Amino acid sequence: MVAAGRGNVLASRLIHRSHAEPGWFLYATVCALVEADRGRPGTAEHIAALPGIVIVDLDLPAALAVARETTWSGAHTFHAAQPGPDRPDGALIATTTPHLWKEQPVRTLDLSP
């Protein structure tokens, strides 16, 4: 989210694709929105207003997952990326810091320039 606000071309392409292609979505966890907005004020409001972005709420299973970890953003994102009824294969985590996810059982999409 912050990468898009800083002009990351790959992040911008993902956002455009989610807007232009029917049935193609990007997911943003509430906890990641909060963290992004703390780092770059206005980011959360901007991301939440984009039509192709699906906001992932902090429901009870996510809150329990977050409670066991040290960072809310990472824990909520990890939880949202896991397979579930709406995403049987799970979701990719688009990030400019893929090394932070290396030890986790998730798939990442490297947005590093």
Side-chain angles (χ1 to χ4, degrees):
M1 290 179 243
V2 173
R6 291 187 176 149
N8 182 295
V9 174
L10 297 174
S12 295
R13 286 179 185 168
L14 285 175
I15 291 168
H16 173 73
R17 188 171 182 186
S18 71
H19 178 69
E21 289 189 38
W24 209 91
F25 300 99
L26 291 176
Y27 298 90
T29 62
V30 169
C31 292
L33 280 171
V34 169
E35 187 172 315
D37 204 72
R38 285 180 178 165
R40 187 173 172 93
T43 300
E45 190 173 7
H46 176 72
I47 294 292
L50 295 170
I53 307 289
V54 176
I55 305 301
V56 180
D57 291 329
L58 188 62
D59 60 7
L60 180 58
L64 295 173
V66 165
R68 292 187 290 268
E69 301 297 329
T70 55
T71 66
W72 286 35
S73 176
H76 196 190
T77 300
F78 176 79
H79 176 76
Q82 299 306 301
D86 53 339
R87 293 179 303 279
D89 294 327
L92 290 168
I93 297 175
T95 180
T96 57
T97 56
H99 63 280
L100 296 177
W101 297 97
K102 189 175 180 182
E103 302 299 321
Q104 300 295 330
V106 294
R107 297 174 297 147
T108 59
L109 178 60
D110 188 353
L111 299 181
S112 300

